[in-house]
Amino acid sequence: MDRALHEKPEMTNSRADFYARMATRNMTPLWEVLHTLLAEEPVTEATPHKWDYEECRPYIMESADIISAEEAERRVMVLENPTLEGRSCITEALYAGLQLIMPGEIAPAHRHSPAALRFIVEGTGAYTAIDGEKAYMEVGDLILTPSWQWHDHGHTGDVPVVWLDGLDIPLVRYLGPVFAQPYPEPEFPQGRPSGDNMFRYGANMLPVGAKFDTQNSPVFHYPYVKTREALENLSRSGDPDPRHGFKLEYINPVTGGPVMPTIGTHMQKLPAGFQGEVYQTTAAWVYSVAEGSGRTRIGDRVFDWKAKDTFVVPAWYPHSHEADGDAFLFSFTDQPVQQKLGLFREQANGSA
Ligand code: 1HN
């Protein structure tokens, strides 16, 4: 049987009168709005967009003259999706921003139920302390601050440091359980020695008897040198995926799953001259270019990118990547949430 999805019924005087009367009891007819609630395929309010780092950087640097990291609490330029203006989000479920910390500054300790990640874009010498354990940043590193973990940022180096923040805050706000707390002091007391999380949990081995009571990775620092080496080794011994090139997911070593329950993170290498096939998923993808240049077709638009640019592929947009020389793309996504709820779908080449 071939039946179209529901269309809005005709309005008549008696219907309008009935709807007005039922509204006095906080009731409203579903058949008037059903066409807005269901569609044959996912409809996103977000728009594909690229933030050119060369264009954004002067504003990021100027922000240091306008406000200190301490006064701002977090000195972040929110990357707002052009069609989600005023909602502090890059897609319906994800937040992204570019954060600046200057030498000697502190972004004070706090914790919150939304989960966060940092992907380092520029500079060296800054750190994020998680429960007082400092993760020193290098360009291309991934640092996690999972739900409800104390974190502060500091800077003992001598050049500005900028990173991309990714959070699940729009999703958590929508669901409701937002909690946040400041730490009584700007800095959380010194915790375990720097690197402890990687040494303890990041060698494909786990301490015998260790207990894990969250879905967050106990490793919270994934240095770029290691990620890059893994991708280079992978690309020497096999063929690229036709859509993704060589793509690795950062994992929680306890579960083999995503590093945090709500956000998945990946790094992919597109070999020189790569021309990817079209891919489409119900999840949204935020990309930060670690190295190289190329372009991504998203729907009917083409976005040229180079190192340090950020771009977003909203839900269900067909997209494909091309690289000039070897290129490395970091990405984060709400895919894990959709997978847990049995809602995730993907297709290659526009066919299910
Ligand atoms: C936050 O805590 C950080 O800790 C960055 O650096 C961005 C955006 C919204 C809410 C909390 C950080 C944030 C944030």
Side-chain angles (χ1 to χ4, degrees):
M1 194 173 74
D2 213 12
R3 221 165 54 78
L5 271 181
H6 187 260
E7 282 169 33
K8 194 170 147 89
E10 202 184 319
M11 186 64 87
T12 62
N13 285 344
S14 55
R15 285 176 178 173
D17 173 69
F18 173 57
Y19 303 158
R21 284 186 287 110
M22 76 197 278
T24 66
R25 294 291 176 265
N26 293 97
M27 295 193 292
T28 185
L30 174 63
W31 58 90
E32 286 293 299
V33 291
L34 192 55
H35 64 288
T36 67
L37 301 180
L38 293 177
E40 290 192 18
E41 294 191 34
V43 178
T44 175
E45 283 182 68
T47 306
H49 192 75
K50 179 191 74 170
W51 287 263
D52 183 310
Y53 191 66
E54 251 174 54
E55 287 173 16
C56 295
R57 190 178 186 280
Y59 296 95
I60 297 168
M61 295 303 156
E62 190 180 340
S63 73
D65 304 330
I66 300 290
I67 194 163
S68 69
E70 194 151 10
E71 192 190 346
E73 177 121 2
R74 296 292 186 269
R75 189 172 48 218
V76 187
M77 285 16 81
V78 179
L79 304 184
E80 260 195 348
N81 193 285
T83 46
L84 301 172
E85 216 182 301
R87 287 162 53 178
S88 301
C89 51
I90 192 160
T91 69
E92 280 89 342
L94 297 172
Y95 161 103
L98 289 166
Q99 180 161 175
L100 171 68
I101 189 159
M102 298 298 280
E105 286 190 322
I106 284 172
H110 70 192
R111 64 178 177 177
H112 38 72
S113 53
L117 63 86
R118 336 276 163 202
F119 181 71
I120 316 311
V121 172
E122 170 178 341
T124 178
Y127 62 82
T128 295
I130 286 105
D131 292 332
E133 179 183 331
K134 294 188 174 83
Y136 282 92
M137 301 174 176
E138 297 295 340
V139 170
D141 288 6
L142 172 65
I143 296 173
L144 312 175
T145 58
S147 177
W148 211 238
Q149 280 190 291
W150 292 109
H151 55 285
D152 50 277
H153 312 295
H155 196 340
T156 50
D158 49 19
V159 289
V161 172
V162 179
W163 63 80
L164 176 71
D165 285 313
L167 285 91
D168 58 9
I169 201 164
L171 174 72
V172 180
R173 281 181 52 149
Y174 188 74
L175 296 173
V178 174
F179 295 90
Q181 253 184 356
Y183 191 73
E185 306 291 328
E187 285 178 281
F188 196 86
Q190 176 69 46
R192 286 178 168 169
S194 185
D196 188 81
N197 70 100
M198 294 184 273
F199 306 148
R200 205 177 279 261
Y201 308 111
N204 277 324
M205 305 176 93
L206 293 174
V208 170
K211 295 263 187 299
F212 300 94
D213 54 5
T214 73
Q215 295 172 60
N216 303 312
S217 173
V219 178
F220 56 77
H221 188 185
Y222 295 80
Y224 187 46
V225 282
K226 285 198 162 186
T227 312
R228 196 180 191 289
E229 186 186 21
L231 281 166
E232 290 286 31
N233 286 333
L234 185 67
S235 70
R236 269 185 217 113
S237 62
D239 294 327
D241 179 276
R243 298 164 295 176
H244 307 304
F246 301 96
K247 187 169 185 178
L248 291 173
E249 180 171 7
Y250 298 83
I251 56 155
N252 175 347
V254 180
T255 61
V259 293
M260 298 188 288
T262 48
I263 310 179
T265 49
H266 297 80
M267 180 79 80
Q268 70 205 90
K269 175 184 172 181
L270 307 178
F274 182 75
Q275 297 205 327
E277 290 177 8
V278 176
Y279 181 50
Q280 183 179 24
T281 81
T282 52
W285 301 82
V286 179
Y287 285 90
S288 178
V289 183
E291 280 182 65
S293 65
R295 62 212 51 79
T296 297
R297 177 179 288 278
I298 312 175
D300 56 10
R301 294 170 68 192
V302 176
F303 296 86
D304 287 300
W305 42 255
K306 56 185 172 0
K308 306 189 186 310
D309 291 349
T310 307
F311 62 92
V312 59
V313 180
W316 212 235
Y317 270 87
H319 56 282
S320 57
H321 304 299
E322 277 181 30
D324 299 330
D326 285 354
F328 292 82
L329 298 178
F330 169 79
S331 55
F332 69 93
T333 174
D334 55 0
Q335 182 189 37
V337 184
Q338 298 193 4
Q339 285 176 319
K340 286 189 185 73
L341 301 179
L343 294 169
F344 180 72
R345 284 203 211 183
E346 62 186 333
Q347 60 188 31
N349 273 327
S351 61

